[in-house]
Amino acid sequence: MTDVRTTMRLHLLTWKPAVAWPWGILAASFTINLLVQRALSPEFREQSWSGGLTSIYAVVAVWATALISQVFPFALGLGITRRDYALGTALTLVAQAVLFALALAGLQAVEQASHGFGVGLAFFGPAGIRQDGVVLQTLVYATGFVLVGAVMSALAVVHHRWRTTGLFTLIMALILAGGALIVLATWRHAWGTVLDTVTGLPALVSLVAAPLAVAVLAAGAGFAGLRRATV
């Protein structure tokens, strides 16, 4: 566990990309969305939609890749084992996800109480992820961070081991697999059934359990690749 704690401390040393940049960019995105919403006439405010919340997830995605591409070689030089580095990184990403999710849930509560900051802005609780209840809302936020961290870390491992060729090969394989499923659903005229099934799922399944399952698979694949990775 000593190496696990050392790994987490290494990640905390990069607090600016881990904390300052995600929230700084989110603040900039929020300011722009608020000014745009305020400039809209009242009849158009209810029709507006904001995707600005994705900015914080995008910055976390960049940071997650840096944990492999930049910090991992340095950690190996310190004698940290690959297993302990993977565990320390996973714990750091989960802790970040929980803390960020709690903060977003608090901001979303303020947004609701203030009727969208006085202008009907749905920035922290856009349609699609807005849930009733603080616990479920926090879980939805946290799941998004865990998913982004796991997937981007796994892609970074692929790039670290097999470089651009391996990364593009994986992306091509995923595109072909997704395309095959789309062709199959179209051929079987099953899109109505698929959409009804997806939209009928409880939020706890569609927005929490399913993304967490994907995150676990990505984390497992990333760890398998990391075990044989070199500097």
Side-chain angles (χ1 to χ4, degrees):
M1 293 299 294
T2 301
D3 283 349
V4 174
R5 289 194 295 269
T6 301
T7 298
M8 297 182 72
R9 283 197 292 268
L10 280 177
H11 296 331
L12 291 177
L13 290 176
T14 60
W15 68 271
K16 285 186 178 180
V19 178
W21 281 116
W23 288 98
I25 290 177
L26 182 69
S29 177
F30 170 74
T31 301
I32 294 172
N33 277 268
L34 183 63
L35 292 176
V36 170
Q37 187 77 356
R38 189 176 295 277
L40 292 175
S41 59
E43 60 269 20
F44 285 106
R45 287 177 178 176
E46 293 184 359
Q47 304 174 20
S48 64
W49 182 86
S50 172
L53 184 63
T54 58
S55 60
I56 191 171
Y57 290 92
V59 182
V60 170
V62 173
W63 183 64
T65 61
L67 298 183
I68 303 299
S69 62
Q70 298 180 16
V71 185
F72 174 65
F74 179 70
L76 288 186
L78 294 178
I80 298 176
T81 65
R82 292 164 177 80
R83 176 183 174 277
D84 287 343
Y85 184 80
L87 181 56
T89 301
L91 290 174
T92 301
L93 289 172
V94 170
Q96 181 194 51
V98 172
L99 293 175
F100 280 19
L102 289 171
L104 289 177
L107 291 169
Q108 200 265 342
V110 173
E111 182 176 84
Q112 280 190 319
S114 62
H115 303 288
F117 303 99
V119 292
L121 176 63
F123 183 86
F124 297 102
I129 69 168
R130 183 171 59 248
Q131 303 298 320
D132 296 326
V134 177
V135 175
L136 181 57
Q137 187 67 71
T138 304
L139 283 174
V140 171
Y141 287 138
T143 298
F145 286 116
V146 171
L147 177 63
V148 166
V151 170
M152 296 308 297
S153 295
L155 291 177
V157 170
V158 172
H159 183 267
H160 186 80
R161 283 202 62 187
W162 295 285
R163 302 304 174 187
T164 305
T165 300
L167 182 61
F168 284 164
T169 300
L170 175 61
I171 292 175
M172 182 180 295
L174 293 175
I175 291 174
L176 290 174
L181 292 176
I182 292 173
V183 171
L184 179 62
T186 304
W187 174 56
R188 300 288 296 179
H189 304 286
W191 281 114
T193 303
V194 171
L195 292 175
D196 289 341
T197 301
V198 172
T199 56
L201 290 174
L204 194 60
V205 175
S206 60
L207 296 178
V208 178
L212 283 180
V214 175
V216 170
L217 290 174
F223 175 65
L226 199 67
R227 291 180 62 184
R228 297 183 178 275
T230 60
V231 177

